[in-house]
């Protein structure tokens, strides 16, 4: 499939049909990968820029390009001329002459918007302080695999209303899934994402985890401290009320699944018992980063 958008920075660039189409395409590529994927990106190169650490994003994008017959160049931003003051504009124009796509993990989301403006090739957000769209592609692929559908499901987000939560809001709006978010006061997700998604779906915002998790099919959390927001004092605002433990999970549906983008801080936002227990699908979720990003790359990189 081919996407209309040049870039993927938030998920808001996609239509519901494109989003669900990408999820189905990811599942198809996963099945095909057992015998080796077709070289859909032969002679194509991805530039990967990292301002922040990464395990899953770094490896899954590089392996994904390799499995589709392409190549990935990995750059830490501090080894680029960007770190010596070269402009985003000149960087974007230069990379557009060598490679076919840029995936960047950045602090300020505006940097991605600038890369997108000045590059002639697609730009993919590999996480910014504000959004993590690639994580949500993998999450919804996992939900489709486990539940077989999106219609009628309820997702419960417990904890910090962070970058992953902001993208989850867009994902739910695109897949028409009900979302209930429980955060402490002052840790709510992005207001614009909430306002835009409320036009199409039912998003509930509460400070009560019991209310948010009631009847949930999918329970999701993330660390209380993100790379850009790592003051340990934050933890006191979340514990013990916003921890996903078995007592809380028991208020979700019996067949509810537990998801976490990883890396996790066991016994902070989730107990070891839950993340390592039978309801947890975190390893499939991590694996699906690879398959869903292959679908994205094959759909966004121009022939
Ligand atoms: N979930 C995720 O993006 O993991 P990394 O930070 O390891 O890339
Ligand atoms: N919210 C986390 C996600 C890491 C994948 C962070 O930004 O650090």
């Amino acid at each position: 499939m081919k996407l209309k958008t040049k870039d993927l920075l938030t998920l808001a660039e996609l239509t519901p049909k494109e989003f669900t189409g990408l999820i189905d395409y990811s599942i198809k590529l996963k099945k095909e990968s057992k015998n080796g994927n077709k070289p859909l990106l032969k002679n194509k190169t991805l530039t990967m820029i990292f301002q922040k650490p990464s395990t899953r994003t770094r490896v899954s994008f590089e392996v994904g390009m390799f499995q589709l017959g392409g190549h990935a160049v990995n750059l830490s931003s501090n080894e680029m001329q960007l770190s010596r003051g070269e402009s985003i504009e000149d960087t974007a124009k230069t990379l557009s002459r060598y490679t076919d796509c840029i995936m960047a993990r950045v602090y300020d989301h505006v940097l991605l918007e600038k890369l997108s403006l000045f590059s002639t090739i697609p730009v993919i957000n590999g996480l910014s302080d504000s959004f993590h769209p690639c994580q949500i592609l993998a999450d919804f692929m996992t939900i489709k695999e486990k539940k077989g559908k999106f219609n009628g499901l309820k997702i419960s987000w417990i904890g910090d209303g962070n970058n992953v939560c902001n993208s989850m809001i867009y994902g739910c709006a695109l897949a028409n899934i009900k979302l209930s978010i429980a955060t402490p006061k002052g840790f709510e997700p992005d207001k614009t994402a909430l306002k835009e998604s409320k036009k199409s779906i039912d998003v509930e915002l509460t400070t009560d985890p019991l209310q948010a998790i009631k009847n949930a099919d999918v329970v999701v959390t993330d660390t209380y401290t993100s790379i850009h927001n790592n003051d340990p004092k934050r933890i006191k605002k979340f514990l013990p009320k916003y921890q996903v433990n078995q007592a809380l999970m028991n208020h979700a549906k019996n067949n509810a699944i537990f998801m976490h983008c990883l890396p996790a801080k066991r016994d902070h936002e989730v107990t070891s018992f839950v993340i390592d227990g039978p309801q947890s699908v975190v390893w499939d979720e991590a694996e699906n980063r690879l398959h869903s990003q292959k679908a994205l790359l094959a759909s966004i990189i121009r022939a």
Side-chain angles (χ1 to χ4, degrees), residues 14-293:
L14 301 179
T15 62
K17 210 172 151 195
E18 285 177 324
F19 181 71
T20 52
L22 263 183
I23 303 300
D24 291 339
Y25 188 33
S26 310
I27 293 172
K28 182 172 178 265
L29 288 182
K30 183 174 182 175
K31 285 192 186 123
E32 287 175 4
S33 70
K34 304 226 159 54
N35 299 315
N37 289 119
K38 292 193 191 104
L40 301 167
L41 295 178
K42 189 162 177 251
N43 292 330
K44 301 290 183 191
T45 305
L46 171 73
T47 304
M48 308 195 293
I49 302 173
F50 285 93
Q51 284 189 333
K52 295 174 172 177
S54 165
T55 299
R56 281 144 287 268
T57 305
R58 158 85 164 85
V59 178
S60 56
F61 266 103
E62 182 161 344
V63 172
M65 282 304 290
F66 171 76
Q67 291 185 355
L68 294 181
H71 180 67
V73 176
N74 186 49
L75 296 165
S76 151
S77 61
N78 60 20
E79 66 199 20
M80 296 173 72
Q81 295 288 14
L82 260 178
S83 66
R84 293 183 56 247
E86 186 171 19
S87 69
I88 307 283
E89 177 168 356
D90 292 357
T91 304
K93 286 180 177 170
T94 304
L95 293 173
S96 299
R97 296 295 179 108
Y98 298 133
T99 68
D100 304 282
C101 185
I102 299 169
M103 183 280 293
R105 169 167 286 199
V106 302
Y107 284 92
D108 188 351
H109 190 79
V110 172
L111 198 146
L112 287 169
E113 292 173 344
K114 286 187 183 158
L115 273 176
S116 144
L117 187 67
F118 298 119
S119 67
T120 55
I121 56 176
V123 176
I124 296 173
N125 178 0
L127 181 146
S128 65
D129 292 356
S130 314
F131 298 103
H132 196 2
C134 295
Q135 183 63 51
I136 297 310
L137 289 177
D139 287 8
F140 278 69
M141 176 186 175
T142 312
I143 293 168
K144 186 80 190 274
E145 284 181 331
K146 303 292 174 193
K147 299 286 173 192
K149 58 170 190 178
F150 293 134
N151 224 353
L153 295 183
K154 176 184 172 183
I155 298 183
S156 167
W157 178 280
I158 311 284
D160 189 16
N162 63 12
N163 43 6
V164 182
C165 182
N166 292 337
S167 293
M168 179 65 79
I169 294 170
Y170 281 120
C172 285
L174 288 164
N176 198 18
I177 293 188
K178 192 175 167 185
L179 176 63
S180 186
I181 303 166
T183 71
K185 228 175 162 3
F187 294 85
E188 294 85 4
D190 183 71
K191 284 197 178 66
T192 310
L194 279 173
K195 207 169 133 196
E196 283 180 15
S197 61
K198 274 188 176 159
K199 287 180 204 152
S200 53
I201 50 153
D202 186 5
V203 190
E204 178 185 52
L205 202 54
T206 172
T207 53
D208 181 3
L210 282 173
Q211 188 181 325
I213 208 167
K214 200 172 160 214
N215 283 326
D217 300 276
V218 180
V219 179
V220 195
T221 188
D222 188 11
T223 45
Y224 302 143
T225 54
S226 282
I227 302 165
H228 64 284
N229 222 339
N230 62 0
D231 181 356
K233 283 198 213 104
R234 290 167 62 89
I235 296 166
K236 282 200 209 111
K237 309 269 183 191
F238 293 90
L239 278 176
K241 189 172 168 186
Y242 296 90
Q243 182 185 70
V244 181
N245 50 39
Q246 197 56 49
L248 187 62
M249 280 300 284
N250 289 344
H251 291 269
K253 283 193 184 152
N254 285 341
N255 63 352
I257 54 173
F258 171 77
M259 301 183 76
H260 190 307
C261 64
L262 306 177
K265 285 230 165 79
R266 280 174 170 70
D267 303 318
H268 277 211
E269 72 274 9
V270 57
T271 57
S272 306
F273 191 83
V274 169
I275 196 171
D276 299 323
Q279 289 176 282
S280 172
V281 297
V282 298
W283 306 117
D284 291 325
E285 181 184 2
E287 178 187 335
N288 286 341
R289 291 293 302 276
L290 170 65
H291 307 294
S292 55
Q293 286 159 196

